[in-house]
């Protein structure tokens, strides 16, 4: 056989910084980071992308950014591009085209930076545009929600929705740095403050029983918007996600996706509700369903299941949704399993729970058992409601 | 400073196979490769993309592919998608959208394959679509031209043109395998047979003096369409490109692009002529210009320059083009230097020649010296013409 063998490794490194009031002129974190990168003497450009929802809560932000940049002689602020907030930014390609256009017109090259400030959806879109323009310009992420700070914003994926399918387009492209600024969390609605915490429950359940206990002990404090508790939870959750990415299969060449515990139904539920159910809320529902499935299929004991459901309730999550009431094998939600398999390909691989802190991969989920899990959860919720109204 | 450090490496491996008549049912190369990959028992899909120009020269190809695939029980032929040949496939997004649509409708997942058969442009477009659909489906390249077999098709880049700029969109995404089939070369026009050889001259000039001598000794045989000489040249050229990618900076995170010797003017010339000058032809012109510049700036000796120009002439390349007649610093071609720098970013880094086989990086090119090099080349060509007509 006549062939040449190609083989090489590529090293990826980035830091996830934790700070507050990143753009205060007295906060030198971002400035020091950028100065360290600016070694060749050429002036580098910074193109900012700002989630409109974030801008509306922080009307001074643009001016702060302008002032902050003017103090860095090795950098020039090229433009500040406002984009739609929420899932809509990924559904249409209008903002994506606007951003590509700005990258072109401003002459952003592979040594310049696109700095995106926003929730997970805005970071997904901006990360994708940054990854494909000039085969990848440098990208800095400044996640502003709980969900993006503890999970998606610190990872290596970006995406857009296409053909009505979540994340149909995207790449694996690590950012050059992530800056988690707690100040952005203070203006979150109660719903957004809560919803991202489900990703912490998820990662604790499959990887870290001690963190699960911490979440149980601090659920009330987090719900009371205790900033120290929120910060600890975000850092630990981000750390577990980062460790998983680095130790496993960062660009998902294999079939396993343990970090997607509870996600097969979550993705489908988001789509079926036209994204009116937030990702974090859908994940909480997905965790409830797959934990119940783990219990009914004999993997997880009942006290553990009850601890899981109690924690989700203590965090204010719903455990049932009309679309999760799976009555037969023709239910639309079950199509989510097929789509989940198709997105990655190969054998279906779903993570269930063996015990709190220990995941267990399976290659099949029985529709009959999913229907039973759905009924069990409906009854559980009814009983809880009665308790509450007693 | 409060931060988490992320750090990981990703290993990329693929083989570049050399064969003839890949889709003959008696040729087991592709079949054996695919069977080796099919380990988990699931049926994988194959989506073929075929360059219309190739299809017109090989009318039996579709049927051969159907027969070839029907003999692989672990694989299903999902579809055969014809696409435009040549640079046009990268200029408009029509074929790109058609391919994404086929990937979606056929349910091609991350463990299925997009197999592209065609010249460099078709492989660039199909590689890009494969890289962004589901964040990357598996991609097999079957380059059909000299240029794509010895250079672009064996590398890790893909691209589309956008905003009128060559390769504005793209990613770094190694294929899972490349199959170089010499049979496709037999139907190439004289122009396409020749033009890709300039990439071999280029890589020999910056890396391998012995290969340059081989090219001098075998130029006549290659022009007489000697298949053994063509095969040797393609394999050695592909090998030098692969070695460079693996030993250097595969995803071009730094500033240097030694493989782009002669390319700053070539890219601009292609664009200015609306791609009527082929990439390989433009590269030959770019090599002539930058070699002359290397001589005039005192790096390269005159006998070496004359050997380079003689080899290009022996291979049938033009050494001058009206757009290369640079008379002043406002010449459109010089804009190519700026665009070359902008595409990668950072400091301008251009490779010149110290001697045959040894490149030399510089960070500046003097417009005055480019004008002198252009005039020197014009005079050289005039003298050569006179010799020919004597």
């Amino acid at each position: 056989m006549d062939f040449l063998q190609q083989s090489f490794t590529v090293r990826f490194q980035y830091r996830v910084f934790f700070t507050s009031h990143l753009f205060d002129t007295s906060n030198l974190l971002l400035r020091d980071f950028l100065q360290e990168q600016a070694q060749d003497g050429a002036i580098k450009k910074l193109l900012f992308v700002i989630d409109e929802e974030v801008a509306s809560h922080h009307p001074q932000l643009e001016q702060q950014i302008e002032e902050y940049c003017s103090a860095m002689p090795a950098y020039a602020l090229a433009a500040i591009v406002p984009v739609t907030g929420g899932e809509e930014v990924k559904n249409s390609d209008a903002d994506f085209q606007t951003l590509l256009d700005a990258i072109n017109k401003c002459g952003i090259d592979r040594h310049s930076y696109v700095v995106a400030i926003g929730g997970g959806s805005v970071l997904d879109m901006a990360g994708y545009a940054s990854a494909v323009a000039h085969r990848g310009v440098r990208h800095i992420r400044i996640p502003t929600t709980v969900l993006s700070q503890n999970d998606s914003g610190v990872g290596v994926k970006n995406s857009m929705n296409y053909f009505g399918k979540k994340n149909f387009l995207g790449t694996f492209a690590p950012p050059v740095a992530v800056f988690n600024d707690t100040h952005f969390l203070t203006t979150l609605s109660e719903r957004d403050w809560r919803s991202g915490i489900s990703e912490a429950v998820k990662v604790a359940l499959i990887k870290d029983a001690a963190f699960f206990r911490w979440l149980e002990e601090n659920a009330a404090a987090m719900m009371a918007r205790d900033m120290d508790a929120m910060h600890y939870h975000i850092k630990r959750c981000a750390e577990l996600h980062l460790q998983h990415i680095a130790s496993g299969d960062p660009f998902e060449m294999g079939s396993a996706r343990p970090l997607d515990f509870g996600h097969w139904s979550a993705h489908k539920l988001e789509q079926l509700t036209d994204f009116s159910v937030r990702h974090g809320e859908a994940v909480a529902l997905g965790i409830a369903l797959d934990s119940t499935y783990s219990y009914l299929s004999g993997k997880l004991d009942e006290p553990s299941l009850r601890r899981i459901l109690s924690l989700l309730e203590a965090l204010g999550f719903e455990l049932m949704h009309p679309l999760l009431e799976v009555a037969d094998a023709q239910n639309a939600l079950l199509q989510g399993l097929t789509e989940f398999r198709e997105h990655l390909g190969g054998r279906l691989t779903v993570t269930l729970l063996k015990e709190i802190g220990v995941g267990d991969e399976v290659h099949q989920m029985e529709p009959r058992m999913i229907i039973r899990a759905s009924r069990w959860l409906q009854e559980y919720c009814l009983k809880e409601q009665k308790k509450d109204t007693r």
Side-chain angles (χ1 to χ4, degrees), chain A residues 272-289:
Chain A
L272 289 174
T273 60
D274 212 7
F275 300 97
S276 69
V277 172
R278 296 258 208 295
H279 180 68
E281 294 164 345
V283 167
L285 289 159
I287 290 172
L289 184 67

Side-chain angles (χ1 to χ4, degrees), chain A residues 49 75 125 181 200 217 224 243 247 252 255 257 276 300 310:
Chain A
V49 179
Y75 289 86
M125 183 284 286
D181 181 342
E217 286 157 13
Q243 282 171 1
S247 65
E252 297 177 8
S255 291
R257 306 181 71 169
S276 69
L300 187 71
S310 295

Side-chain angles (χ1 to χ4, degrees), chain A residues 60-61 83 136 162 164 172 191 214-215 330 360 382:
Chain A
Q60 309 303 318
L61 188 57
V83 296
Y162 208 58
F172 293 88
R191 215 178 147 189
W214 184 94
L215 288 167
Q330 276 66 54
D360 189 28
L382 274 176

Side-chain angles (χ1 to χ4, degrees), chain A residues 174-212:
Chain A
V176 295
V178 181
F179 293 86
N180 274 343
D181 181 342
T182 47
H183 178 62
F184 286 117
L185 305 178
T186 60
T187 55
L188 292 178
S189 69
E190 200 193 323
R191 215 178 147 189
D192 282 327
W193 173 275
R194 171 192 304 111
S195 71
I197 305 175
S198 61
E199 293 287 2
V201 176
K202 172 208 75 180
V203 78
L205 279 172
I206 55 177
K207 294 206 175 263
D208 188 346
F211 184 40
F212 186 84

